[in-house]
Amino acid sequence: MDNHVRLFDTTLRDGEQSPGATMTTAEKLEVARALARLGVDVIEAGFPAASPDDLEAVRRIAQEVGRSQNGERVPVICGLSRTVKGDLDKAWEAVQGADKPRIHTFIATSDIHMKYKLKMERPEVLKVVREMVAYAHSLCADIEFSPEDAGRSDPEFLYQVLEVAIECGATTLNIPDTVGYLMPDEFGALIAGIIKNTPGIDKCTVSVHCHNDLGMATANTLAGIRAGARQAEVTINGIGERAGNTALEEVAMAMFTRQQVLGLETGIDTTQLARVSKMVSNYTGISVQPNKAIVGANAFAHEAGIHQDGMLKNHMTYEIMRPETVGVSQSSLVLGKHSGRHALQERMVTMGYNLDENNLNKLFERFKVLADKKKTITDADLEALVSDELYQPKVLFTLDGLQVACGTMGLPTATVRLIDPKGEKLVHASVGTGPVDAAFKAIDAIVSSSSTLVEFVIHAITQGIDAQGEVTVRIQGAESTSHLNAQKETTQPHTYGGYGADTDIVVASAKAYLSALNKMLVATGHFGEEPETAAVQKVAS
Ligand code: KIV
Ligand code: ZN
């Protein structure tokens, strides 16, 4: 059996379904480019029928990342679709510009989903699969089919559904443990049973798609692969619905590190893993837990004296992989105050960024300001500047000035000046429990929006007293939105993530908060209203 396992990345689809992970089209394009450089085989770029913005993002990824310019290898670009004609048309409209387009269509097959969600009997589901997979195949040659909640479906029914999907043109059969319910031996047995009992499956690729509700996603994925699956569906940092999906970096590094046991390989350039992880974390506002395998801040840190002693004598005493293998470099000192625009441009190209003239100029301005405050600028600093300066959501309100008074001698107070969508400067001062709270309250008063802060994370990007602070926030709006994964639309409150970086941590916090608010305002269309409070002052530009 072929020992190459295809990695199908769904960060931009299932990953983006995590609360707060909404990304702008510019951010999605940059993530897609990074995934292509990383070497994934398939990028699931989104769910085109979910909204016109989703369709547009998938369309641009298909055209700008999925088309080879100079004969370089490009990934398959895939769009998700319910087994509904209108959705399939939108998915095809979105992906057809890619050199290698794919439509991924799904319908639930577990008794509980069919009874309560679809309100369909088994024969009806079989009929939909027959008609809609055939319809999808009339649009696109490469069709992937998923029986949703396969982990809790009757295996005998699964064999029938998959057989029909194959007869109608599906060439990849993806088996999702949608609710992360199975144990590794059960999931492995499910995959083995499907391979043994589904007529025609030998001509297809079997794929696995696991969720992490019981912390089994990576173990289940590897069990499925060992049972014969040759495509694994994964996300960067394991982001995804609820407890998330299988983490790409874990599966790739398990196959790399335990090659002798597994005898399998992927096309991943492992040295890019840390960088892509950081990019996804910055853009989604979802920080990576420090002890996260492979990409957590502590994944290669050795604290205990005995461990440090062992490491000094031979790193293999406590290290099963080298940090450089996943792109964590301890000393990525690159640029300083005297570095020019050209040096910055070269470094950005080496780091895999494709900046146009305008963006390079903007970045260079920020770089100079930072270099005045900080002696050495590392790759991590540059990543932060790119996220903070270039890939912010469509900007409605920009931070134009911030001053705080805080400490033990009085009430923490912040004065904030924002530029509104019409270009007017608005100022407000608020008190709060601390300088960050005061700044957020002043921003709320100017923007005139209500949201709940659900997460605030701050940390230093590099070591040293002159380090930049980076802040990720997640806010929840009162807004409801239509969402995926059901055969009909549902409403639910939405979470928005924001990111900010600066050597001043209150400024970084205000930027992160404003970036999340901007995302919320764009998504809900609630902006341009006059601030309610009379205390918000307009100032001359
Ligand atoms: O978890 C799931 O079942 C899915 C399908 C759409 C493949 O994400
Ligand atoms: Zn999923």
Side-chain angles (χ1 to χ4, degrees):
M1 186 182 269
D2 179 14
N3 67 353
H4 180 80
V5 176
R6 287 177 206 167
L7 288 189
F8 172 116
D9 183 278
T10 182
T11 306
L12 296 172
R13 199 280 297 171
D14 219 335
E16 217 221 358
Q17 284 174 230
S18 332
T22 314
M23 285 178 257
T24 62
T25 300
E27 289 170 335
K28 287 181 185 175
L29 268 163
E30 212 51 41
V31 170
R33 285 194 187 100
L35 291 170
R37 278 193 303 272
L38 181 64
V40 305
D41 300 275
V42 186
I43 295 176
E44 186 162 58
F47 191 157
S51 74
D53 277 356
D54 284 57
L55 193 149
E56 180 58 11
V58 179
R59 201 185 58 76
R60 286 194 58 189
I61 291 170
Q63 296 195 341
E64 294 174 36
V65 184
R67 265 197 207 159
S68 182
Q69 307 295 333
N70 303 307
E72 78 282 11
R73 179 193 159 277
V74 288
V76 172
I77 306 294
C78 173
L80 183 70
S81 168
R82 295 173 296 185
T83 41
V84 172
K85 243 184 175 172
D87 278 26
L88 290 165
D89 289 335
K90 289 199 170 115
W92 178 234
E93 183 186 338
V95 297
Q96 62 183 291
D99 288 351
K100 296 185 264 176
R102 176 181 293 185
I103 295 178
H104 175 193
T105 188
F106 72 98
I107 187 166
T109 50
S110 64
D111 288 339
I112 185 163
H113 275 227
M114 289 189 290
K115 181 168 175 195
Y116 293 102
K117 195 181 78 170
L118 300 180
K119 302 192 186 344
M120 286 183 189
E121 301 285 339
R122 289 183 182 194
E124 217 181 328
V125 168
L126 280 170
K127 183 167 177 280
V128 172
V129 173
R130 187 174 299 286
E131 289 173 1
M132 290 301 115
V133 173
Y135 181 66
H137 189 51
S138 73
L139 303 171
C140 178
D142 184 351
I143 298 299
E144 170 166 334
F145 171 75
S146 292
E148 191 192 6
D149 203 16
R152 292 188 299 170
S153 300
D154 170 6
E156 295 297 330
F157 181 53
L158 270 184
Y159 307 152
Q160 283 179 39
V161 172
L162 295 173
E163 182 181 1
V164 169
I166 296 167
E167 281 168 10
C168 297
T171 42
T172 302
L173 284 319
N174 177 48
I175 311 303
D177 182 17
T178 302
V179 289
Y181 180 66
L182 297 184
M183 296 290 122
D185 56 345
E186 292 174 306
F187 192 66
L190 177 69
I191 300 299
I194 286 170
I195 292 175
K196 182 158 175 250
N197 297 303
T198 308
I201 202 139
D202 47 314
K203 295 189 279 311
C204 302
T205 302
V206 176
S207 167
V208 287
H209 176 115
C210 300
H211 280 267
N212 205 28
D213 299 67
L214 293 173
M216 302 287 170
T218 299
N220 283 352
T221 295
L222 292 172
I225 291 169
R226 295 186 92 176
R230 284 296 175 267
Q231 175 178 287
E233 302 204 349
V234 290
T235 61
I236 299 292
N237 300 336
I239 63 170
E241 283 279 1
R242 307 179 309 278
N245 288 60
T246 306
L248 180 149
E249 60 277 8
E250 293 176 15
V251 172
M253 285 312 290
M255 287 192 231
F256 182 89
T257 309
R258 303 306 312 276
Q259 229 281 333
Q260 288 194 324
V261 174
L262 298 172
L264 299 165
E265 51 163 52
T266 68
I268 294 296
D269 171 2
T270 61
T271 61
Q272 309 255 346
L273 287 170
R275 184 168 299 153
V276 186
S277 158
K278 188 79 185 101
M279 177 187 270
V280 169
S281 162
N282 288 356
Y283 291 174
T284 56
I286 300 180
S287 47
V288 175
Q289 75 194 60
N291 59 325
K292 166 82 184 60
I294 320 294
V295 291
N298 293 347
F300 295 94
H302 303 272
E303 184 70 18
I306 295 175
H307 289 210
Q308 288 178 350
D309 181 56
M311 282 292 294
L312 288 173
K313 289 174 177 146
N314 182 333
H315 69 85
M316 280 163 69
T317 51
Y318 286 101
E319 226 171 44
I320 59 165
M321 329 166 239
R322 294 301 286 163
E324 306 83 84
T325 312
V326 302
V328 174
S329 100
Q330 256 71 29
S331 55
S332 55
L333 176 83
V334 284
L335 300 170
K337 193 179 163 133
H338 302 293
S339 309
R341 200 171 161 287
H342 187 64
L344 176 68
Q345 183 181 25
E346 288 217 326
R347 190 63 212 157
M348 294 317 291
V349 170
T350 316
M351 287 169 65
Y353 285 98
N354 179 11
L355 303 183
D356 61 22
E357 194 70 12
N358 182 30
N359 279 340
L360 184 67
N361 288 342
K362 281 201 226 162
L363 192 71
F364 189 57
E365 288 305 310
R366 282 289 302 270
F367 167 76
K368 281 289 176 198
V369 173
L370 181 62
D372 267 342
K373 296 182 187 163
K374 192 171 182 288
K375 245 166 75 188
T376 52
I377 313 280
T378 65
D379 286 359
D381 286 317
L382 294 177
E383 298 272 3
L385 287 190
V386 172
S387 305
D388 185 83
E389 183 66 36
L390 304 183
Y391 297 116
Q392 288 293 350
K394 183 175 170 201
V395 173
L396 296 171
F397 290 88
T398 3
L399 184 68
D400 190 47
L402 169 68
Q403 191 177 9
V404 291
C406 59
T408 54
M409 304 284 283
L411 288 175
T413 309
T415 307
V416 172
R417 191 172 60 228
L418 301 184
I419 302 179
D420 78 1
K422 295 182 219 142
E424 287 195 277
K425 292 189 175 179
L426 302 170
V427 178
H428 189 73
S430 291
V431 291
T433 52
V436 172
D437 185 46
F440 287 9
K441 286 198 168 115
I443 291 173
D444 280 342
I446 299 175
V447 170
S448 187
S449 74
S450 71
S451 63
T452 314
L453 181 68
V454 289
E455 193 178 293
F456 175 87
V457 180
I458 182 162
H459 80 274
I461 296 175
T462 49
Q463 287 170 351
I465 197 74
D466 60 355
Q468 290 192 90
E470 67 180 349
V471 175
T472 49
V473 300
R474 296 207 292 152
I475 61 170
Q476 205 160 60
E479 183 61 15
S480 295
T481 185
S482 69
H483 226 293
L484 323 173
N485 237 6
Q487 292 295 99
K488 61 178 171 34
E489 293 188 340
T490 55
T491 53
Q492 53 187 252
H494 208 87
T495 311
Y496 303 87
Y499 173 84
D502 201 281
T503 45
D504 181 320
I505 56 173
V506 186
V507 173
S509 307
K511 284 178 170 178
Y513 188 58
L514 206 50
S515 125
L517 272 181
N518 276 328
K519 279 188 185 173
M520 185 177 93
L521 296 171
V522 170
T524 59
H526 295 162
F527 56 87
E529 290 143 28
E530 287 297 315
E532 275 158 24
T533 160
V536 172
Q537 291 178 9
K538 290 188 180 169
V539 291
S541 311

PDB file of all heavy atoms in Angstrom, residues 13-14 209 211 245, ligand 2:
ATOM      1  N   ARG A  13     -11.824  26.301   6.982  1.00  0.00           N
ATOM      2  CA  ARG A  13     -13.248  25.924   6.991  1.00  0.00           C
ATOM      3  C   ARG A  13     -13.653  25.437   8.387  1.00  0.00           C
ATOM      4  O   ARG A  13     -14.249  26.158   9.145  1.00  0.00           O
ATOM      5  CB  ARG A  13     -13.495  24.884   5.894  1.00  0.00           C
ATOM      6  CG  ARG A  13     -14.952  24.751   5.502  1.00  0.00           C
ATOM      7  CD  ARG A  13     -15.769  23.903   6.454  1.00  0.00           C
ATOM      8  NE  ARG A  13     -15.305  22.508   6.506  1.00  0.00           N
ATOM      9  CZ  ARG A  13     -15.756  21.636   7.404  1.00  0.00           C
ATOM     10  NH1 ARG A  13     -16.637  21.974   8.320  1.00  0.00           N
ATOM     11  NH2 ARG A  13     -15.282  20.404   7.408  1.00  0.00           N
ATOM     12  N   ASP A  14     -13.253  24.218   8.765  1.00  0.00           N
ATOM     13  CA  ASP A  14     -13.654  23.726  10.092  1.00  0.00           C
ATOM     14  C   ASP A  14     -12.975  24.583  11.166  1.00  0.00           C
ATOM     15  O   ASP A  14     -13.563  24.902  12.198  1.00  0.00           O
ATOM     16  CB  ASP A  14     -13.255  22.253  10.253  1.00  0.00           C
ATOM     17  CG  ASP A  14     -14.309  21.444  10.994  1.00  0.00           C
ATOM     18  OD1 ASP A  14     -15.070  22.047  11.759  1.00  0.00           O
ATOM     19  OD2 ASP A  14     -14.370  20.215  10.820  1.00  0.00           O
ATOM     20  N   HIS A 209     -11.328  12.229   9.514  1.00  0.00           N
ATOM     21  CA  HIS A 209     -11.597  13.597   9.966  1.00  0.00           C
ATOM     22  C   HIS A 209     -12.068  13.471  11.416  1.00  0.00           C
ATOM     23  O   HIS A 209     -13.187  13.046  11.670  1.00  0.00           O
ATOM     24  CB  HIS A 209     -12.687  14.186   9.058  1.00  0.00           C
ATOM     25  CG  HIS A 209     -13.157  15.550   9.438  1.00  0.00           C
ATOM     26  ND1 HIS A 209     -12.953  16.655   8.635  1.00  0.00           N
ATOM     27  CD2 HIS A 209     -13.845  16.012  10.515  1.00  0.00           C
ATOM     28  CE1 HIS A 209     -13.491  17.723   9.193  1.00  0.00           C
ATOM     29  NE2 HIS A 209     -14.052  17.358  10.347  1.00  0.00           N
ATOM     30  N   HIS A 211     -12.558  14.814  15.508  1.00  0.00           N
ATOM     31  CA  HIS A 211     -12.687  15.942  16.437  1.00  0.00           C
ATOM     32  C   HIS A 211     -12.157  15.527  17.802  1.00  0.00           C
ATOM     33  O   HIS A 211     -12.042  14.347  18.121  1.00  0.00           O
ATOM     34  CB  HIS A 211     -14.131  16.440  16.463  1.00  0.00           C
ATOM     35  CG  HIS A 211     -14.433  17.325  15.285  1.00  0.00           C
ATOM     36  ND1 HIS A 211     -14.310  18.690  15.353  1.00  0.00           N
ATOM     37  CD2 HIS A 211     -14.792  17.026  14.015  1.00  0.00           C
ATOM     38  CE1 HIS A 211     -14.610  19.211  14.154  1.00  0.00           C
ATOM     39  NE2 HIS A 211     -14.905  18.217  13.328  1.00  0.00           N
ATOM     40  N   ASN A 245     -10.235  20.206  15.974  1.00  0.00           N
ATOM     41  CA  ASN A 245      -9.956  19.102  15.047  1.00  0.00           C
ATOM     42  C   ASN A 245      -8.580  18.529  15.367  1.00  0.00           C
ATOM     43  O   ASN A 245      -7.862  19.036  16.228  1.00  0.00           O
ATOM     44  CB  ASN A 245      -9.918  19.640  13.606  1.00  0.00           C
ATOM     45  CG  ASN A 245     -11.284  20.026  13.077  1.00  0.00           C
ATOM     46  OD1 ASN A 245     -11.959  20.884  13.617  1.00  0.00           O
ATOM     47  ND2 ASN A 245     -11.695  19.391  12.019  1.00  0.00           N
TER      48      ASN A 245
HETATM   49 ZN    ZN B   2     -15.466  18.618  11.329  1.00  0.00          ZN
END
